[in-house]
Amino acid sequence: MSEAWSRQEVEATVADYFSMLDMELRGEPFNKAEHNRSLQNLLNDRPRGAIERKHQNISAVLIEIGYPYIDGYKPLGNYQELLRLAVDERLARAADLNRIVEAVVENATVPRPVISDILAIQVTPPAREANAVRIREGPVVSRRLAGKRNYLEIEARNQSLGLAGEQLAVEFERERLRRLGTPKLADGIRHVAQLEGDWLGYDILSFEPDGRERLIEVKTTRFGASTPFFASRNEVNISQTHHEQYQLYRLFSFTTQPRLFALPGSLRNSCRLEPFTYSASVL
């Protein structure tokens, strides 16, 4: 079906997406396939794939305005302006959902599921495409986007979440080196962000099996793998000047089913950088 989506169709799809997002944030189960089938009956028999892509488009809109998305719908760009308008209007009326999101990103209690095999949490990085691995460069400071709070930025400033992610990464590194038969190196790992502060441009000093240093910066989110993360200019520069040693560990789905992917080398090469804040002075 090639006809343009009507406003009624778009609004129905956005409403369905926000219903699922609400349940996901509350930790309530839902069936994506059932939601899709119900929508097909409302949308002039739009096919399943078209509805899935529209849901992915909604994820892309939410990511761009600093809002969490449904993990099962990977962000997909090139959406119609009508969709962006419908999402904006829905968010303006979603007071309850906004309160849930705010509570999630600001929660100082960071539960972590039991992990039976910590090394099994590592996965391959997302595919390099328009909405895949993205990083926003600049100090993380409060700002609003189109009158909304940037909840992804707020989460990035959650110190409890950041510390929990770093601690898990330290455990991961120690187990990695022990299984490689280098227990002395495992014992020598240092959580430098806690011992010396966060000015170094990385959080953990670990090692390769031959003793070379591995400098690890950890970025943690409760949300999906495509969630953008934030880095300071110092972190980006350190990743470039120490590209042979540097690794960024991205932890995602942290409080439900923690997963980790690693980006070795300069962030300028592995990520799509987006300027986020500017330093300004009077001329």
Side-chain angles (χ1 to χ4, degrees), residues 44-45 52 62-63 65 104 118 120 153 182 194 205 258:
N44 302 320
D45 293 323
E52 286 184 354
L62 292 176
I63 283 290
I65 61 178
V104 168
I118 194 168
E153 180 193 348
T182 54
Q194 285 292 293
L205 174 61

Side-chain angles (χ1 to χ4, degrees), residues 229-249:
F229 54 92
F230 299 79
S232 67
R233 178 174 297 180
N234 184 43
E235 291 165 354
V236 174
N237 289 340
I238 291 296
S239 77
Q240 187 162 355
T241 57
H242 295 79
H243 61 91
E244 293 184 351
Q245 303 161 281
Y246 192 90
Q247 300 250 356
L248 186 138
Y249 281 10

Side-chain angles (χ1 to χ4, degrees), residues 70-193:
I70 295 174
D71 195 13
Y73 290 119
K74 184 177 180 180
L76 180 66
N78 298 320
Y79 50 80
Q80 62 190 133
E81 185 60 27
L82 177 60
L83 181 67
R84 173 62 181 259
L85 178 61
V87 170
D88 284 343
E89 291 175 349
R90 191 79 190 183
L91 282 178
R93 304 192 305 268
D96 289 343
L97 181 61
N98 287 327
R99 280 192 289 269
I100 294 170
V101 175
E102 183 174 7
V104 168
V105 299
E106 293 184 340
N107 190 355
T109 303
V110 185
R112 196 185 83 194
V114 176
I115 301 172
S116 58
D117 181 1
I118 194 168
L119 296 191
I121 71 173
Q122 184 166 11
V123 297
T124 57
R128 293 293 302 276
E129 56 189 38
N131 291 295
V133 182
R134 303 196 304 170
I135 180 172
R136 290 177 176 176
E137 183 180 4
V140 179
V141 295
S142 180
R143 77 169 192 165
R144 291 179 178 271
L145 293 178
K148 305 178 185 67
R149 302 187 73 187
N150 188 323
Y151 290 109
L152 302 183
E153 180 193 348
I154 294 170
E155 188 199 43
R157 290 189 278 110
N158 187 318
Q159 294 181 351
S160 297
L161 178 63
L163 177 59
E166 291 169 14
Q167 291 170 337
L168 178 60
V170 169
E171 294 176 29
F172 178 92
E173 281 299 287
R174 285 177 177 155
E175 183 63 19
R176 180 181 66 85
L177 288 171
R178 287 180 185 128
R179 292 197 198 180
L180 289 171
T182 54
K184 289 185 178 181
L185 290 177
D187 292 340
I189 291 172
R190 300 180 71 240
H191 189 174
V192 294

Side-chain angles (χ1 to χ4, degrees), residues 63-64 130-131 134-138 228-229 271-278:
I63 283 290
E64 289 176 8
N131 291 295
R134 303 196 304 170
I135 180 172
R136 290 177 176 176
E137 183 180 4
F229 54 92
C271 302
R272 179 161 63 88
L273 294 173
E274 297 178 351
F276 189 64
T277 59
Y278 295 89

Side-chain angles (χ1 to χ4, degrees), residues 16 19-20 23 30-39:
D16 179 70
S19 173
M20 290 188 287
M23 287 186 282
F30 60 93
N31 189 306
K32 295 185 181 71
E34 289 182 3
H35 277 258
N36 191 299
R37 285 192 293 270
S38 296
L39 270 179

